[in-house]
């Protein structure tokens, strides 16, 4: 393989793998829907930093995790785990809720 082909291949691999490396360093928080509630109900996240939220549904039926500011929505069948990435949040409190258990599935992010 010629030097120019090796260089092009190397640059292409770097370009493809760089986003994966950046995601590996992203803070990740886990949330569980269980018995019509979210555990934990409060998640402290670093202000000004993107983060990943992983939600697992241990309810007997479906759950819909939702935030309005910023808008995110995940619909999960029983036993399903899904993730979403949040943009950097300003310091403050950001509520979330479960659309199928509005009275009990509530929580909040606190960005500090």
């Amino acid at each position: 393989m010629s030097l120019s082909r090796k260089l092009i291949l190397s640059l292409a691999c770097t370009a493809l793998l760089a986003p994966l490396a950046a995601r590996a360093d992203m803070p990740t928080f886990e949330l569980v829907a269980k018995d019509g509630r979210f555990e934990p109900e409060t998640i402290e996240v670093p202000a000004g930093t993107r983060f990943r939220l992983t939600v697992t549904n241990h309810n007997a039926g479906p759950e819909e995790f939702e935030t309005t500011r910023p808008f995110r929505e995940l619909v999960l069948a029983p036993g399903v785990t899904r993730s979403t990435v949040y943009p950097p949040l300003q310091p403050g409190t950001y509520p979330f809720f479960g659309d199928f258990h509005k009275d009990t599935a509530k929580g909040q992010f606190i960005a500090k």
Side-chain angles (χ1 to χ4, degrees), residues 29-100:
F29 300 91
E30 295 185 14
L31 185 68
V32 174
K34 184 177 179 182
D35 300 326
R37 298 186 177 281
F38 285 123
E39 298 173 5
E41 290 182 357
T42 299
I43 300 175
E44 286 190 17
V45 299
T49 303
R50 287 174 39 141
F51 66 93
R52 177 181 296 108
L53 178 70
T54 300
V55 183
T56 301
N57 183 9
H58 288 300
N59 287 320
E63 185 58 270
E64 181 176 349
F65 168 85
E66 194 166 334
T67 58
T68 57
R69 191 182 63 123
F71 179 76
R72 292 289 185 276
E73 183 177 64
L74 294 173
V75 179
L76 302 106
V80 170
T81 299
R82 293 188 61 202
S83 295
T84 187
V85 174
Y86 277 83
L89 301 177
Q90 296 296 317
T93 301
Y94 301 83
F96 56 79
F97 60 93
D99 220 15
F100 296 136

